[in-house]
């Protein structure tokens, strides 16, 4: 099963105990997300809402492509793909 | 004035440089991309800075030094000692004074040829359109989500570019929104995070030199827009990780469904951004619009200890009785609330309310640790002064907790009134 590198925003460092980059495997993005939150369940409410959708203030990029522009999360992923999460911050 | 390719008004006549200015801007004048014409364009330009804080400070300093003719500075705040670690417009002698006053003084010293227009007020839905219309470009250095959405909407509605920056701990973001009909902030972030989910700089900290990098980049992007040179950071967002020293870039596309800049806009005038962001201020004394009530520290001690010698508001007690488990204090008919401390562990170590049964769940961990916060029992949330905890209380109320209270004034108020209940040094 392909393994994907996942980068998290600094904001979520306290949630993962300081880890900013981890990997999760899956055949599709949906699998990868599922395996990610099974492995780090504390991430789930920060990234996804109660219905499992990405929160509106969170962005996810699969190989640089915003997942909101994709036709769902059921497309295949390949070994070595990157997933970047980032989110809105307001500090000034 | 004729528009540039980015829609920024081009300076007209009347901006000729005098001898002193020609000497001052010599290093610009030799740059082919600036030259005399470009420098005169800067002199005729008007830039609005929203916020004279961490981002606004370096941005304003570089814009003033570069000779941007008019700088508007909007900020209602006074200089606090905690600002000085990064807000380099202000100094120790400015403590307690209006930020716009020290900004004006500092910028005048940097470049007396620049006119500074101070606005010692908050940018609001009522004044934003009028103020923004006076300027060519807006630099967003605000420190909260409601203002960021307001700046975005006012810029889109006024056709002004929004040079956006934001910072958090060691991470910064930079983008130019609203040029050439391009994407706006709402195309990127349709909605703000739920209240309490993303801490601000006061709660989470910010590395002092980080806004120096991002704010200076905002100034650079602003000057490029005014000169109409190079490629603005439009249609993309730059993310800077200071710890790793790494810049990432992500593509940002205009969203045809965007409520402000989309094909069928539904936001055609500034809205109520506190309502939009769920940060509406207290509607009636002691209670905010989400129904989260404030709890007086004296009442907290009464309910946590069972000592009701304090005079209760009968209506308040009745309300508590509705949801409280009467088993803890059978004589009194109500239960001990779950007392939730949302500060950081280092703050907890210094002093806490463990004697009253408090449990620590730092604010940033609340969303994924809801299982630690019981339902069917009242929850009283506290932090140092009552600000962070109000956000968490709102968040919990939004999550369906039906009896949530915010400890008014936080643990600082308890320290003031009942220091004996604090576990100082424990």
């Amino acid at each position: 099963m392909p393994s994907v590198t996942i980068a998290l925003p600094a904001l979520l460092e306290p949630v993962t105990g300081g880890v900013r980059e981890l990997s999760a495997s899956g055949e599709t993005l949906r699998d990868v997300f599922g395996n990610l939150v099974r492995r780090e369940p504390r991430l789930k409410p920060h990234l996804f809402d109660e219905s499992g959708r990405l929160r509106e203030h969170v962005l996810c990029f699969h190989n640089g492509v915003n997942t909101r522009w994709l036709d769902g999360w059921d497309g295949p992923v390949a070994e070595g793909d990157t997933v970047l999460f980032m989110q809105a911050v307001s500090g000034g | 004035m004729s528009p540039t390719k980015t829609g920024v008004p081009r300076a007209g006549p009347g901006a000729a440089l005098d001898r002193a200015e020609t000497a001052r801007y010599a290093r610009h004048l030799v740059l082919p991309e600036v030259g005399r014409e470009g420098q005169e364009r800067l002199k005729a330009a008007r830039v609005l800075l929203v916020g004279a804080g961490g981002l606004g400070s370096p941005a304003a300093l570089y814009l003033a030094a570069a000779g941007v003719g008019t700088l508007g500075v909007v900020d209602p705040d006074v200089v606090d000692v905690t600002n000085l670690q990064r807000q380099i417009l202000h100094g120790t002698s400015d403590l307690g004074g209006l930020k716009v006053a020290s900004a004006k003084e500092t910028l005048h010293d940097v470049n007396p040829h620049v006119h500074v227009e101070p606005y010692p007020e908050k940018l609001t839905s009522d004044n934003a359109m009028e103020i923004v219309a006076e300027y060519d470009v807006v630099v967003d250095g605000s420190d909260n989500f409601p203002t960021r959405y307001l700046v975005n909407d006012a810029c889109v509605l006024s056709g002004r570019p929004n040079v956006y920056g934001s910072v958090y701990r060691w991470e910064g973001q930079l983008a130019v929104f609203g040029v050439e009909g391009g994407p706006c902030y709402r195309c990127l972030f349709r909605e703000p995070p739920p209240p309490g989910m993303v801490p601000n700089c006061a709660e989470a900290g910010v590395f002092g030199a980080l806004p120096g990098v991002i704010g200076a980049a905002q100034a650079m992007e602003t000057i490029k827009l005014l000169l109409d040179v190079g490629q603005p950071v439009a249609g993309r967002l730059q993310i800077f990780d200071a710890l790793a020293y790494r810049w990432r870039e992500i593509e940002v596309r205009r969203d045809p469904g965007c409520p402000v800049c989309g094909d069928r806009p539904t936001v055609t005038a500034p809205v109520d951004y506190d309502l939009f962001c769920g940060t509406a201020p207290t509607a009636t004394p002691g209670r905010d619009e989400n129904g989260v009530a404030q709890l007086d520290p004296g009442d907290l001690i009464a309910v946590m200890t069972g000592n009701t010698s304090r005079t209760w508001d009968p209506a308040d007690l009745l309300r508590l009785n509705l949801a409280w488990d009467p088993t803890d204090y059978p004589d009194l008919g109500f239960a001990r609330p779950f007392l939730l401390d949302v500060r950081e562990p280092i703050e907890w170590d210094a002093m806490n309310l463990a004697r009253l049964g408090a449990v620590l769940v730092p604010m940033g961990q609340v969303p994924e640790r809801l299982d630690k916060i019981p339902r069917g029992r009242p929850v009283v949330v506290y932090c140092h002064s009552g600000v962070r905890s109000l956000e968490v209380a709102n968040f919990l109320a939004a999550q369906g907790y039906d009896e949530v209270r915010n400890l008014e004034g936080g643990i600082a108020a308890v320290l003031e009134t009942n220091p004996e209940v604090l576990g100082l040094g424990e």
Side-chain angles (χ1 to χ4, degrees):
Chain A
M1 199 179 285
S3 178
V4 171
T5 303
I6 297 170
L8 297 168
L11 194 66
L12 296 182
E13 231 172 56
V15 177
T16 57
V19 175
R20 293 280 302 278
E21 200 165 284
L22 36 82
S23 58
S25 54
E27 298 291 346
T28 64
L29 267 184
R30 191 179 302 281
D31 288 345
V32 170
F33 293 160
N35 287 328
L36 171 68
V37 298
R38 261 189 291 281
R39 186 176 146 188
E40 294 283 346
R42 291 169 59 195
L43 278 176
K44 190 175 179 183
H46 288 276
L47 301 177
F48 305 100
D49 65 19
E50 294 73 14
S51 55
R53 285 176 306 196
L54 203 61
R55 288 193 180 275
E56 291 284 356
H57 71 284
V58 175
L59 299 177
C60 179
F61 295 83
H62 176 214
N63 291 340
V65 177
N66 191 329
T67 57
R68 287 206 168 84
W69 304 336
L70 302 176
D71 189 17
W73 295 344
D74 295 319
V77 296
E79 180 73 25
D81 278 5
T82 59
V83 166
L84 167 70
F85 285 99
M86 56 96 47
Q87 63 184 90
V89 295
S90 68
Chain B
M1 289 194 183
S2 61
T4 63
K5 69 184 179 201
T6 52
V8 179
R10 194 186 293 278
L17 304 179
D18 63 23
R19 186 173 295 178
E21 289 170 307
T22 302
R24 175 179 284 262
Y25 305 126
R27 299 293 183 274
H28 264 174
L29 297 178
V30 296
L31 288 175
E33 294 82 0
V34 185
R36 182 167 290 274
E37 187 196 337
Q39 193 63 52
E40 289 176 351
R41 196 181 293 172
L42 295 181
K43 183 178 178 182
R46 300 172 58 86
V47 172
L48 180 69
L49 294 130
V50 180
L55 293 168
S57 287
L61 284 165
Y62 274 108
L63 291 170
V68 172
T70 302
L71 294 175
V73 184
V74 187
D75 201 314
D77 293 341
V78 296
V79 180
D80 178 85
V81 70
T82 62
N83 301 149
L84 301 181
Q85 155 257 26
R86 65 198 180 285
Q87 300 186 12
I88 55 176
L89 270 176
H90 322 292
T92 308
S93 62
D94 300 317
L95 286 173
L98 279 168
K99 285 186 180 178
V100 291
S102 40
K104 182 171 182 172
E105 193 181 321
T106 303
L107 296 173
H108 183 76
D109 188 43
V110 167
N111 189 347
H113 300 283
V114 170
H115 172 67
V116 178
E117 188 69 45
Y119 297 88
E121 60 196 292
K122 195 178 169 195
L123 196 72
T124 68
S125 299
D126 293 330
N127 64 19
M129 292 300 287
E130 196 177 330
I131 294 175
V132 166
E134 295 288 315
Y135 294 88
D136 304 316
V137 178
V138 178
V139 176
D140 181 1
S142 60
D143 63 358
N144 61 83
F145 285 111
T147 306
R148 291 199 178 276
Y149 280 92
L150 169 62
V151 168
N152 178 73
D153 293 359
C155 284
V156 172
L157 296 169
S158 308
R160 301 297 192 273
N162 168 15
V163 182
Y164 157 87
S166 68
V167 288
Y168 176 85
R169 290 190 171 175
W170 297 84
E171 199 166 274
Q173 298 177 0
L174 172 75
V176 173
F177 294 118
V179 293
E180 299 172 308
C184 77
Y185 183 65
R186 286 203 196 223
C187 297
L188 188 63
F189 299 113
R190 182 70 74 90
E191 287 176 14
M197 191 168 250
V198 177
N200 61 31
C201 288
E203 294 141 7
V206 60
F207 178 59
L210 172 65
V213 173
I214 302 295
Q218 287 178 279
M220 189 169 64
E221 287 302 300
T222 302
I223 294 167
K224 281 166 56 188
L225 287 172
L226 294 169
L227 294 172
D228 196 20
V229 297
Q231 289 78 43
V233 199
R236 49 205 174 115
L237 177 81
Q238 292 269 324
I239 306 166
F240 179 54
D241 179 344
L243 274 179
Y245 202 92
R246 177 169 54 190
W247 289 88
R248 289 182 199 264
E249 180 171 292
I250 59 170
E251 184 187 355
V252 185
R253 295 181 190 167
R254 177 177 165 271
D255 177 1
C258 173
V260 192
C261 77
D263 296 340
R264 292 187 182 82
T266 53
V267 175
T268 54
V271 299
D272 183 336
Y273 295 89
D274 281 319
L275 196 62
F276 175 63
C277 295
T279 52
T282 302
T284 54
R287 195 173 298 272
D288 87 353
E289 287 188 352
N290 294 331
V292 169
Q294 300 280 1
L295 189 66
D296 183 282
D299 288 343
L300 170 83
I301 292 160
V303 298
M304 296 306 294
T305 61
N307 176 0
T308 56
S309 58
R310 181 188 164 82
T311 306
W312 283 80
D313 175 350
D316 206 33
L317 189 56
L318 180 65
R319 176 176 155 75
L320 296 176
N321 271 330
L322 291 176
W324 290 22
D325 177 353
T327 54
D328 277 6
Y329 298 123
D331 295 345
L332 302 172
F334 60 85
R336 280 166 70 96
F338 181 77
L339 183 56
L340 177 63
D341 185 325
V342 295
R343 299 172 303 151
E344 296 303 311
I346 194 169
E347 297 175 272
W348 169 275
D349 291 343
M351 63 175 174
N352 57 62
L353 294 176
R355 283 183 180 169
L356 294 180
V359 172
L360 176 68
V361 181
M363 182 176 185
Q365 298 178 18
V366 167
E368 78 271 9
R369 292 182 64 188
L370 289 178
D371 57 317
K372 304 285 181 211
I373 305 166
R375 293 176 185 271
R377 181 178 168 190
V379 179
V380 175
V381 192
Y382 77 91
C383 62
H384 182 75
S385 60
V387 177
R388 277 174 287 177
S389 55
L390 181 59
E391 287 194 43
V392 174
N394 275 315
F395 175 74
L396 292 177
Q399 297 297 311
Y401 285 82
D402 57 7
E403 188 66 57
V404 185
R405 299 214 165 196
N406 180 47
L407 182 62
E408 192 169 20
I411 196 170
V414 180
L415 176 65
E416 192 81 13
T417 54
N418 298 81
E420 69 281 2
V421 302
L422 293 169
L424 286 170
E426 289 176 5

